[in-house]
Amino acid sequence: MSAAWPGLRRVLRIATRRSAERDADSEIDFHLESRTRALMTLGHDATEARAMAEREFGDVAETRLMLTGVVRRRQQRVHRADWWEALGQDLTVAARALRRTPGMTAMIVALLVLGVGANAATFAVADELFLRAPAGVTDPSTLTRLYLRTNDWWDGAKVARPTFEYAAYEAIKSAVGEHASLAAYMPPDSADVTIAGTTRTLRVSYATANYFPLLGVRVALGRAFTADENRMGAGSPVAVISWATWQSVFGGESTVLGKRLSVAGELYTVIGVTAEGFSGPDLDRTELWLPIATYPGGTVWNTPWYQFWYADAFVRVLARVAPNVTRPTLTAIASTAYHSGQLEQDSGNRDTVGTVLGGPLLEARGPTMSAAEGAITSRLVGVTIVVLLVACANVANLLLLRGLRRRRDVAIRLTLGISPGRLIRQFLLESFLLAGLASVPVIVIATWGGELLRTMVLPSNALERRSAQLASDRRFDCSRAPDGRDRGNRSSAARASNRSCGCVHQRRARRKRGLFRATRRFARRTGGPLSGPPCRCRILRLQPAIGPKHRCGLRHRSYRLWYGSLPQPNRSLPPSRQRDAGDRTRCRASRSVVATAQRSALRIGRPGQCRADGSGMDGARVSAGRPFGQRWNGRHNDADFQR
Amino acid sequence: MKPTDTPLVHGTLDALVLKTLTWGPRHGYAIARWIKDSSDATLVVEERALYFALHRLEDYGWVESEWGQSENNRRAKYYRLTTAGRRQLKAESERLTSYSETLIKLLAMPREVAE
């Protein structure tokens, strides 16, 4: 009996698997019958004996129920154990099958790694660009970012930008009133920050007082700016640092509040630390926030920068719209405010086509996404999907080949009585094992490749790298006075870069004196004359070399660069007008300059005056098709000039 | 239940069941009879409790069960001691023996010694 025990047990278990109830019943019945029979031999009649047996036993019905439960639970446990055991066997079989054909296994794994890894890396970028809301922001889906759709000041093309002049923000804010709460901030830029004697580069953003409340950012330590500290023209030197900065720069000490740090020669006091994870609402991370009232914008044309409609300081505007207000209502009010506000200050050079748009917080999903950027992103995604499909097709082919080779094997196993379900499970397990083998390198590739791709595509990482190369262009130049005077302690890298490029970033270029100085410095360094065609030619000839370098990044646009040439002062005019006169005449180009420019396919000269073919270069106004060109060169229009 | 009947001390039923099975596989009814007969009916075992004990022991892996034919050709469930069950019985009987010895010693202790 004992020899047959395990086999018998298995057979019986299968027979009684779904019979827990019967099992318990017949056991109890057997007991009761045996007892009844025993009592009958003692002389009791059948009914009496049965009743006695049941009395001795206890509550029969309840016992039946409880025993059934016990048996059922045990059967389930055994069943589960069997299942796991079979799974283990199948896994072993699958692993052996894979080991028998190492070449094919390696091939399939490599294909999977390629396809899935590339996709995962691309998705990581797409996720950060389009899907993931910035960390630490409360309810990001209800935040609205304001965009300005207008005609490009350079070539009149329709563009949308997320930036506004601070004056525009103020105008919109006061007009919107109760309909929405608005906050503005400057996108983070690198600045040298001195803390306890050591200088380090941090990403600094200037923000309004309602920036933190609007985003719903909690403050982990201390407090955020108050409205009083952020009154324009009388800002208090206080600073809020991010959690990451607190940890890395201040070592996470609680004594950080009250510490002093120096930005652009100004001393700021740390008053707060934001909650962990928050680093601004953009992709670009922010490490230090300062009140926007302390922005060293100075005065332009005798107007404080924050009231000047063409100031060089741009802010991004976020809004939380009141529940009963629709986005079109908000944008209509904002657009009207934008136009009327501009009209107040400057009737001649209005941006008449500017429209304020409301868009999602994630800029990549907003209207600023240019056609080129969209095309590149979609192509990148398309290519990786094709790669995945190709990899899938190849893997499927290889697996099919494997299956064909193993027909004999399968036939034998079916003959031996393996169930089709079990066979399918074994093949599925083989596929899972292959996928599992591929997943380890895929994770590595997705992590590193994704990081690499992000570094190349996204600004927060890319800017760090590129700012080293193009120190002058992207650098947040705190040491420089807003009116263009050089304070003398600019970093030598920035200076060298500025000189050698012979070009200035659009933002700086809009400060005329900055442009003037930049070109003069270049002229001095190259030893050329301070005016006249030779120097200009040299500058312009640099363009083909510089252009592609600046345009290589996805988020860089060529129109951001403005290529300067030397002004030629007109001595017959009073000194106050000389610079303007220089501007007027400097674009008279030689034939070689035009040829160079055409070869480089970059526009030269001043916007609104010159075309790529040089036809507008002699100072003649180009009137057709350029409504917004007014905005830039209207400052030097003829009427103004002849006064 | 007569007042002279002694209810089983908690925890001893398992040991008794295991002991019964040392002489070979048995069904539940036989185990119940044996306990009743060999204790001269002084130990009262509620029969349903015996079956709970058997199933519990099967869960622990101390006994195994199998359906077989009884003496009078009926289908009955036979229980059989496993190696683990044998080991458990040994440990349990040692424990119970020392427990009852201590109990006897304490109960038989004369008054002057206790003071």
Side-chain angles (χ1 to χ4, degrees):
Chain A
M1 185 172 168
S2 63
W5 187 265
L8 196 61
R9 190 179 49 163
R10 186 160 304 144
V11 170
L12 285 174
R13 184 189 299 152
I14 290 162
T16 59
R17 182 153 287 163
R18 279 185 202 83
S19 59
E21 203 169 334
R22 215 172 15 174
D23 200 296
D25 280 356
S26 49
E27 189 171 22
I28 293 169
D29 286 342
F30 172 74
H31 178 98
L32 292 176
E33 272 169 37
S34 302
R35 183 63 186 148
T36 311
R37 197 167 297 133
L39 286 172
M40 277 162 77
T41 54
L42 291 176
H44 301 279
D45 68 49
T47 343
E48 197 189 356
R50 177 75 188 189
M52 281 175 74
E54 284 185 9
R55 205 164 42 244
E56 278 174 29
F57 188 81
D59 191 340
V60 178
E62 197 203 338
T63 313
R64 272 183 213 277
L65 224 69
M66 288 173 76
L67 277 190
T68 306
V70 170
V71 172
R72 187 172 293 146
R73 273 197 295 280
R74 184 164 57 240
Q75 281 177 353
Q76 281 168 355
R77 206 163 43 237
V78 169
H79 182 65
R80 222 174 292 140
D82 282 356
W83 191 86
W84 281 109
E85 197 187 329
L87 187 74
Q89 283 172 358
D90 288 355
L91 263 178
T92 321
V93 169
R96 275 197 208 124
L98 289 184
R99 212 167 43 199
R100 254 200 312 278
T101 54
M104 193 173 274
T105 307
M107 188 76 169
I108 293 173
V109 167
L111 281 168
L112 281 176
V113 167
L114 197 71
V116 180
N119 255 278
T122 318
F123 179 75
V125 174
D127 175 47
E128 204 162 314
L129 257 181
F130 299 108
L131 304 175
R132 200 182 306 161
V137 176
T138 308
D139 211 1
S141 55
T142 61
L143 272 173
T144 302
R145 190 189 282 277
L146 295 190
Y147 298 85
L148 182 67
R149 189 202 280 142
T150 182
N151 287 2
D152 188 22
W153 61 267
W154 181 266
D155 55 9
K158 275 206 184 305
V159 289
R161 55 181 167 91
T163 49
F164 291 83
E165 292 82 3
Y166 186 82
Y169 161 71
E170 282 288 0
I172 293 171
K173 187 175 164 60
S174 58
V176 162
E178 293 295 306
H179 291 91
S181 51
L182 260 62
Y185 65 99
M186 293 189 183
D189 223 332
S190 291
D192 289 337
V193 179
T194 309
I195 303 150
T198 48
T199 303
R200 58 186 89 217
T201 308
L202 292 180
R203 306 287 293 172
V204 178
S205 170
Y206 289 88
T208 55
N210 49 356
Y211 170 81
F212 294 107
L214 185 95
L215 288 173
V217 176
R218 289 184 306 106
V219 179
L221 207 66
R223 60 180 180 85
F225 312 135
T226 60
D228 270 351
E229 283 166 341
N230 223 340
R231 184 154 298 138
M232 289 321 250
S236 304
V238 289
V240 172
I241 58 174
S242 74
W243 180 280
T245 314
W246 183 40
Q247 295 297 326
S248 62
V249 179
F250 294 95
E253 287 168 25
S254 56
T255 54
V256 66
L257 298 181
K259 286 254 167 72
R260 295 293 181 89
L261 43 84
S262 149
V263 186
E266 296 285 333
L267 265 181
Y268 289 86
T269 311
V270 177
I271 56 161
V273 179
T274 60
E276 192 171 3
F278 179 70
S279 63
D282 296 340
L283 284 174
D284 203 351
R285 67 170 199 287
T286 310
E287 293 167 323
L288 176 67
W289 289 271
L290 304 175
I292 202 163
T294 64
Y295 178 74
T299 54
V300 194
W301 302 89
N302 295 325
T303 316
W305 69 274
Y306 48 87
Q307 288 169 3
F308 187 60
W309 272 81
Y310 309 106
D312 189 23
F314 290 96
V315 293
R316 282 154 194 253
V317 183
L318 297 176
R320 246 189 234 279
V321 185
N324 55 346
V325 180
T326 58
R327 209 178 254 181
T329 316
L330 173 76
T331 51
I333 297 171
S335 297
T336 316
Y338 179 75
H339 290 300
S340 58
Q342 212 174 29
L343 189 65
E344 236 167 65
Q345 184 167 93
D346 188 349
S347 55
N349 310 307
R350 284 189 302 140
D351 170 12
T352 49
V353 294
T355 317
V356 179
L357 303 175
L361 176 62
L362 290 174
E363 225 178 280
R365 270 157 62 180
T368 40
M369 189 77 171
S370 75
E373 282 168 352
I376 287 168
T377 315
S378 58
R379 248 172 247 166
L380 192 66
V381 171
V383 164
T384 45
I385 286 175
V386 167
V387 168
L388 181 71
L389 287 180
V390 168
C392 282
N394 275 304
V395 168
N397 271 336
L398 287 172
L399 286 176
L400 200 64
L401 192 66
R402 248 171 105 84
L404 284 175
R405 277 191 193 161
R406 281 163 54 182
R407 281 164 89 176
R408 207 176 96 92
D409 187 25
V410 171
I412 290 172
R413 278 201 269 175
L414 280 173
T415 318
L416 288 175
I418 191 172
S419 70
R422 188 85 187 267
L423 201 63
I424 289 169
R425 191 166 84 169
Q426 280 180 7
F427 279 108
L428 277 178
L429 273 176
E430 261 185 60
S431 303
F432 276 124
L433 265 187
L434 279 171
L437 279 177
S439 69
V440 178
V442 160
I443 289 168
V444 173
I445 284 189
T447 313
W448 291 92
E451 195 57 42
L452 190 74
L453 212 57
R454 269 201 292 279
T455 314
M456 292 188 324
V457 178
L458 300 184
S460 52
N461 300 318
L463 280 184
E464 289 303 300
R465 236 181 23 157
R466 216 175 279 142
S467 65
Q469 296 171 357
L470 306 172
S472 71
D473 287 354
R474 295 288 312 184
R475 212 169 169 77
F476 181 81
D477 198 357
C478 290
S479 57
R480 178 161 220 197
D483 57 0
R485 263 182 295 115
D486 201 327
R487 278 184 183 166
N489 57 350
R490 300 183 60 205
S491 74
S492 58
R495 207 156 37 210
S497 175
N498 222 0
R499 273 186 195 157
S500 63
C501 281
C503 62
V504 275
H505 196 268
Q506 172 213 331
R507 281 167 55 181
R508 182 137 329 118
R510 297 181 93 172
R511 282 185 214 126
K512 317 255 169 45
R513 256 182 277 181
L515 170 69
F516 180 79
R517 276 167 186 272
T519 41
R520 272 180 76 114
R521 268 203 302 275
F522 174 75
R524 260 190 228 113
R525 201 181 71 84
T526 51
L530 288 182
S531 62
C535 175
R536 191 162 66 222
C537 290
R538 219 167 293 152
I539 297 169
L540 290 169
R541 273 185 184 140
L542 278 171
Q543 287 181 12
I546 303 159
K549 184 180 162 200
H550 281 268
R551 286 184 302 162
C552 64
L554 280 180
R555 300 179 73 85
H556 269 272
R557 296 170 197 156
S558 55
Y559 70 73
R560 285 194 173 169
L561 294 169
W562 198 73
Y563 298 94
S565 56
L566 277 179
Q568 291 175 314
N570 186 344
R571 304 280 176 215
S572 64
L573 286 166
S576 62
R577 292 268 172 81
Q578 272 189 12
R579 191 179 53 249
D580 298 348
D583 279 344
R584 244 179 99 70
T585 51
R586 72 186 189 196
C587 286
R588 194 166 290 138
S590 70
R591 199 164 288 181
S592 65
V593 171
V594 174
T596 311
Q598 281 174 338
R599 265 202 306 279
S600 71
L602 282 172
R603 299 173 187 88
I604 58 166
R606 288 186 50 230
Q609 282 194 324
C610 313
R611 286 175 176 161
D613 59 8
S615 63
M617 279 185 155
D618 54 3
R621 299 267 302 279
V622 181
S623 52
R626 206 173 299 283
F628 187 33
Q630 284 282 336
R631 187 170 167 208
W632 172 261
N633 66 10
R635 199 154 299 292
H636 319 291
N637 60 23
D638 290 342
D640 176 44
F641 201 66
Q642 285 156 9
R643 242 184 280 146
Chain B
M1 193 189 285
K2 287 174 288 182
T4 50
D5 287 349
T6 317
L8 212 54
V9 177
H10 184 78
T12 50
L13 182 59
D14 288 6
L16 281 179
V17 170
L18 289 175
K19 178 70 191 169
T20 323
L21 291 174
T22 48
W23 297 297
R26 250 154 231 254
H27 47 69
Y29 178 67
I31 299 170
R33 284 293 90 205
W34 183 84
I35 294 175
K36 202 164 203 176
D37 295 347
S38 35
S39 69
D40 301 328
T42 45
L43 290 181
V44 175
V45 178
E46 204 191 359
E47 279 157 358
R48 57 192 289 249
L50 177 81
Y51 282 94
F52 288 139
L54 277 170
H55 282 271
R56 189 170 58 237
L57 295 178
E58 194 175 356
D59 277 356
Y60 293 156
W62 294 339
V63 301
E64 287 175 330
S65 68
E66 177 206 16
W67 288 95
Q69 294 293 319
S70 74
E71 313 82 54
N72 43 23
N73 254 346
R74 297 251 317 145
R75 196 164 160 270
K77 199 176 187 186
Y78 280 82
Y79 292 89
R80 179 176 170 274
L81 205 59
T82 62
T83 323
R86 225 170 275 280
R87 214 178 299 128
Q88 171 65 20
L89 173 62
K90 194 161 172 278
E92 192 69 359
S93 45
E94 274 168 17
R95 195 179 70 82
L96 283 175
T97 312
S98 77
Y99 173 76
S100 50
E101 273 171 4
T102 317
L103 208 62
I104 290 164
K105 201 172 79 187
L106 286 176
L107 290 175
M109 199 172 279
R111 191 179 167 175
E112 48 275 21
V113 177
E115 285 169 352

